[in-house]
Amino acid sequence: MARGKIRPVTPGDIPAITRIVRACGFPERSEAGWHWVLFENPDQDGIPSGWVCERDGTIVAFVGNFASRYRIGERMLRAAIGHTLVTDLSAGRQAGITLARHGLRQSGVDVYSTLNNNGVSARILPRIGAAPWLGEAGRVWLEWPTAPLRIAATQLQKRLHRPAPDRERFDRAFDLGLDVADRPAPRVTVEPLDRLDDVDLARLSGRLAETGQAVRLFDRERLDYRRRDPDRAGGLNYLLARIGGVPALLAGTLLTKPSADGLEHVEIVDWLGVDDEDGIAAQIAVLRHILSRARRARVAKVRMHFPRAVPEAVTQAGGWCLTRELDYDPCHVQFRDNAMRQAWTPRPGDTDYFFASRTPPRLMR
């Protein structure tokens, strides 16, 4: 089988990418949605948005390459996250491996990672130079059931009726009320992103940087970009929490579905908090606030990936929850900068959850 030509992705490739993604069963996006993911990220800035493999003039495979910037003290570093590795099964044999290897060999980044890969990629990536990373801390996530009776009824219905796999279910609207200011605890306030400016966000970023951690850069431009998904009519909310008036936590939540016939849930897609005594108190208040809002809206559950990056006192304060674990490593990494290796603990916002997750039918544009 011919290797094919590998080149950076261009806007003109989007129709072919959309076709292959649909054929592979990944969450579907419109062409405008793919343009947003690939070509509107303010951190891309010279880093390829991905690559395609062409054979006989036809695109047979694609891999995305989402860029982020990090701060360690006064240093700025560049990271790339591999995502959406898809091949045309009729003509793209071995092209996926070739593209994955090409992504690993790219220059101009300090770390290359995949933090949300599937079981097939987990078998391939170690063979081409991306080491499994984080161990159990990368495989586990927490689930807080917030509508247990709905979950039980749905499981019973599946056993009795086996709903058709092509039928979207549970497409009603859910009003979480996370887009308004609130006071979830006596000293803690939360405000939506629309009420914030870069001064608020910079104060929080500076506090996080003082810990010596690698902190992803975040400001209004970057967070507004995450909320501009052309395929989604709501369901992504950002909150800044203050305790005693001091910024202590940035949290992002996404209303999503694990599959066409699965119950919806709230995915915590960002969690950047200060871990001192006041910061932990703010994180506890915000987690309880999200859980309370999900229960009130009768959303099935709330999920958090990378919970080991969050103080245990915070996750325990959420009450009884389930610990889920994959039977493979979804996190692989290749470091080119030793400081990043020492200082980076991935959190939910460091991966592709905000754009790679399924959109519930009621929220599709």
Side-chain angles (χ1 to χ4, degrees), residues 215-226:
V215 181
R216 193 184 85 247
L217 297 189
F218 56 92
D219 53 25
R220 277 298 303 263
E221 180 187 16
R222 290 173 169 88
L223 298 178
D224 283 339
Y225 161 72
R226 293 190 172 216

Side-chain angles (χ1 to χ4, degrees), residues 264-303:
E264 75 300 317
H265 69 271
V266 172
E267 184 75 36
I268 293 174
V269 292
D270 227 339
W271 196 267
L272 288 163
V274 179
D275 291 343
D276 61 14
E277 184 177 353
D278 274 357
I280 290 173
Q283 292 182 58
I284 288 171
V286 172
L287 178 58
R288 289 174 171 169
H289 178 63
I290 293 169
L291 291 167
S292 173
R293 292 292 183 171
R295 290 189 186 99
R296 186 179 306 178
R298 298 188 65 242
V299 176
K301 62 187 73 171
V302 174
R303 301 200 318 186

Side-chain angles (χ1 to χ4, degrees), residues 189-224:
T189 58
V190 292
E191 295 174 272
L193 184 61
D194 288 337
R195 294 184 52 165
L196 305 177
D197 57 31
D198 279 336
V199 174
D200 299 301
L201 298 171
R203 289 182 68 191
L204 177 59
S205 179
R207 295 190 68 199
L208 294 170
E210 289 172 359
T211 67
Q213 301 176 63
V215 181
R216 193 184 85 247
L217 297 189
F218 56 92
D219 53 25
R220 277 298 303 263
E221 180 187 16
R222 290 173 169 88
L223 298 178
D224 283 339

Side-chain angles (χ1 to χ4, degrees), residues 18-26 89:
T18 304
R19 171 183 58 81
I20 297 171
V21 167
R22 182 183 302 117
C24 290
F26 279 51
L89 299 180

Side-chain angles (χ1 to χ4, degrees), residues 59-70:
I59 292 173
V60 298
F62 162 74
V63 65
N65 194 56
F66 187 83
S68 296
R69 290 179 182 266
Y70 286 81

Side-chain angles (χ1 to χ4, degrees), residues 17-349:
I17 293 168
T18 304
R19 171 183 58 81
I20 297 171
V21 167
R22 182 183 302 117
C24 290
F26 279 51
E28 191 168 341
R29 282 203 161 278
S30 68
E31 292 184 14
W34 276 114
H35 191 280
W36 167 73
V37 169
L38 298 174
F39 300 109
E40 298 177 30
N41 174 12
D43 280 324
Q44 212 68 43
D45 189 26
I47 297 175
S49 300
W51 296 271
V52 295
C53 179
E54 285 184 325
R55 289 177 180 166
D56 299 324
T58 300
I59 292 173
V60 298
F62 162 74
V63 65
N65 194 56
F66 187 83
S68 296
R69 290 179 182 266
Y70 286 81
R71 173 183 175 185
I72 303 177
E74 298 303 315
R75 291 187 63 202
M76 298 295 175
L77 297 99
R78 308 179 87 186
I81 300 171
H83 66 89
T84 323
L85 177 59
V86 290
T87 61
D88 183 334
L89 299 180
S90 65
R93 186 177 178 184
Q94 300 298 316
I97 297 176
T98 303
L99 281 177
R101 184 178 288 115
H102 192 84
L104 279 164
R105 290 174 175 170
Q106 70 179 291
S107 59
V109 297
D110 299 293
V111 59
Y112 178 82
S113 67
T114 65
L115 302 180
N116 184 27
N117 58 252
N118 57 30
V120 175
S121 297
R123 294 194 299 270
I124 295 172
L125 289 166
R127 303 178 194 170
I128 60 175
W133 192 42
L134 297 180
E136 183 195 23
R139 294 192 298 269
V140 302
W141 71 93
L142 302 182
E143 289 185 358
W144 287 270
T146 46
L149 293 180
R150 286 188 63 217
I151 295 171
T154 301
Q155 291 174 341
L156 179 61
Q157 186 180 27
K158 286 182 177 181
R159 292 192 184 99
L160 294 177
H161 300 292
R162 288 185 170 273
D166 61 342
R167 183 161 63 93
E168 284 277 15
R169 302 164 62 243
F170 308 112
D171 60 351
R172 67 182 176 88
F174 295 91
D175 183 10
L176 289 165
L178 293 173
D179 55 350
V180 297
D182 209 332
R183 185 181 291 274
R187 298 179 59 224
V188 178
T189 58
V190 292
E191 295 174 272
L193 184 61
D194 288 337
R195 294 184 52 165
L196 305 177
D197 57 31
D198 279 336
V199 174
D200 299 301
L201 298 171
R203 289 182 68 191
L204 177 59
S205 179
R207 295 190 68 199
L208 294 170
E210 289 172 359
T211 67
Q213 301 176 63
V215 181
R216 193 184 85 247
L217 297 189
F218 56 92
D219 53 25
R220 277 298 303 263
E221 180 187 16
R222 290 173 169 88
L223 298 178
D224 283 339
Y225 161 72
R226 293 190 172 216
R227 296 194 305 165
R228 282 201 306 267
D229 186 345
D231 294 332
R232 175 177 279 270
L236 174 61
N237 293 291
Y238 267 93
L239 296 172
L240 181 79
R242 306 175 196 265
I243 183 164
V246 180
L249 171 71
L250 179 72
T253 62
L254 182 77
L255 187 63
T256 183
K257 287 165 62 76
S259 62
D261 64 347
L263 283 166
E264 75 300 317
H265 69 271
V266 172
E267 184 75 36
I268 293 174
V269 292
D270 227 339
W271 196 267
L272 288 163
V274 179
D275 291 343
D276 61 14
E277 184 177 353
D278 274 357
I280 290 173
Q283 292 182 58
I284 288 171
V286 172
L287 178 58
R288 289 174 171 169
H289 178 63
I290 293 169
L291 291 167
S292 173
R293 292 292 183 171
R295 290 189 186 99
R296 186 179 306 178
R298 298 188 65 242
V299 176
K301 62 187 73 171
V302 174
R303 301 200 318 186
M304 175 187 281
H305 283 75
F306 303 107
R308 302 289 190 269
V310 178
E312 189 175 4
V314 176
T315 54
Q316 287 182 345
W320 181 80
C321 66
L322 298 170
T323 300
R324 305 292 197 184
E325 183 172 359
L326 294 172
D327 60 2
Y328 63 88
D329 286 303
C331 305
H332 293 74
V333 71
Q334 184 187 74
F335 285 104
R336 288 92 178 271
D337 185 278
N338 193 54
M340 190 71 172
R341 185 197 306 272
Q342 300 298 323
W344 187 34
T345 300
R347 294 171 177 266

